[in-house]
Amino acid sequence: MQTSFLSATILLILITDPLGNIPLFIAALKQVKPERRKRVVYRECLIAFLVLTIFMLFGRNFLDLMHLTDESMRIAGGVILFLIAIKMIFPGEGSVFGGDKMSGEPFIVPIAIPLIAGPSAMATVLLLSTREPGRMLEWMGALTICMLVTTVVFLFSSRLQKLLGEQAITALERLMGLVLTAISVEMLLSGFASYWKQLH
């Protein structure tokens, strides 16, 4: 299963889920002065971008160090994406903030990590870079576009929430969850098929 530049970009946007994260993002910035919010958005998105870039560039070294195969990463990535997709379709009461009340200005946690650069995003960039390392520039481009989309969505989060409304945002998140479920199943099947070939 070869991943195109467009599908990689869409996959990363689906996983980081900027639209679905609007309510959580607004809650995290409640204590921040309005004039500071733009700066916080730029800073947190940049930190998330740097974290994911490190995972992308040094993913192969990490796998070699831990003696992990591409197949195991593909299957693990599929499992994580599947769990994230189920959570998007059937959201529970909990949040990525772990139920803690935010106070003051957020720094790194919870916006950069795990809201943007969560475990699923880290696993995905690792998977892309280790499966086809020769296309690193494409993956970097896909990640850059994803981060730009996330930054724009967060900058206009209040307006988007008012424009679309809670129900429309929830519906979009569930639609993204459905697409992500199919991608995760495809990833799992691809990993199992590759592993099965190695056994025979």
Side-chain angles (χ1 to χ4, degrees):
M1 183 183 72
Q2 194 178 32
T3 309
S4 68
F5 172 75
L6 181 61
S7 61
T9 306
I10 293 169
L11 176 61
L12 287 169
I13 292 170
L14 285 172
I15 291 162
T16 51
D17 189 22
L19 279 175
N21 284 331
I22 283 175
L24 300 173
F25 175 75
I26 290 172
L29 288 187
K30 261 184 184 172
Q31 306 297 324
V32 181
K33 292 177 182 178
E35 61 269 21
R36 286 276 310 164
R37 286 178 187 174
K38 268 190 181 180
R39 194 175 294 179
V40 172
V41 170
Y42 289 131
R43 185 188 67 209
E44 297 302 302
C45 287
L46 180 61
I47 291 168
F49 177 70
L50 291 173
V51 169
L52 292 176
T53 300
I54 289 167
F55 266 77
M56 185 175 279
L57 294 176
F58 302 104
R60 171 55 66 185
N61 304 77
F62 174 76
L63 288 188
D64 292 341
L65 184 68
M66 301 300 291
H67 304 289
L68 297 171
T69 62
D70 290 348
E71 288 73 29
S72 64
M73 271 305 297
R74 217 175 295 180
I75 293 166
V79 170
I80 291 172
L81 292 192
F82 184 76
L83 293 173
I84 294 290
I86 293 298
K87 183 75 175 172
M88 287 167 74
I89 299 168
F90 306 106
E93 293 299 314
S95 76
V96 292
F97 303 147
D100 295 329
K101 288 183 180 178
M102 286 296 302
S103 59
E105 185 175 298
F107 180 64
I108 301 178
V109 177
I111 296 175
I113 303 169
L115 201 59
I116 305 171
S120 55
M122 291 175 187
T124 304
V125 295
L126 239 170
L127 187 67
L128 286 171
S129 61
T130 53
R131 196 169 59 188
E132 295 180 81
R135 300 172 66 192
M136 195 64 76
L137 280 177
E138 285 185 61
W139 308 144
M140 282 298 300
L143 179 60
T144 302
I145 292 170
C146 170
M147 284 296 105
L148 287 173
V149 169
T150 302
T151 304
V152 170
V153 169
F154 282 177
L155 283 172
F156 295 97
S157 55
S158 298
R159 291 183 195 176
L160 284 169
Q161 192 176 41
K162 285 176 187 175
L163 183 69
L164 296 173
E166 294 275 350
Q167 287 185 326
I169 288 174
T170 302
L172 277 169
E173 185 174 17
R174 288 180 181 175
L175 180 62
M176 289 177 184
L178 279 170
V179 175
L180 200 55
T181 303
I183 292 170
S184 66
V185 170
E186 181 67 33
M187 201 178 283
L188 277 168
L189 291 174
S190 173
F192 282 124
S194 183
Y195 181 68
W196 185 259
K197 280 180 186 175
Q198 285 189 356
L199 292 177
H200 294 77

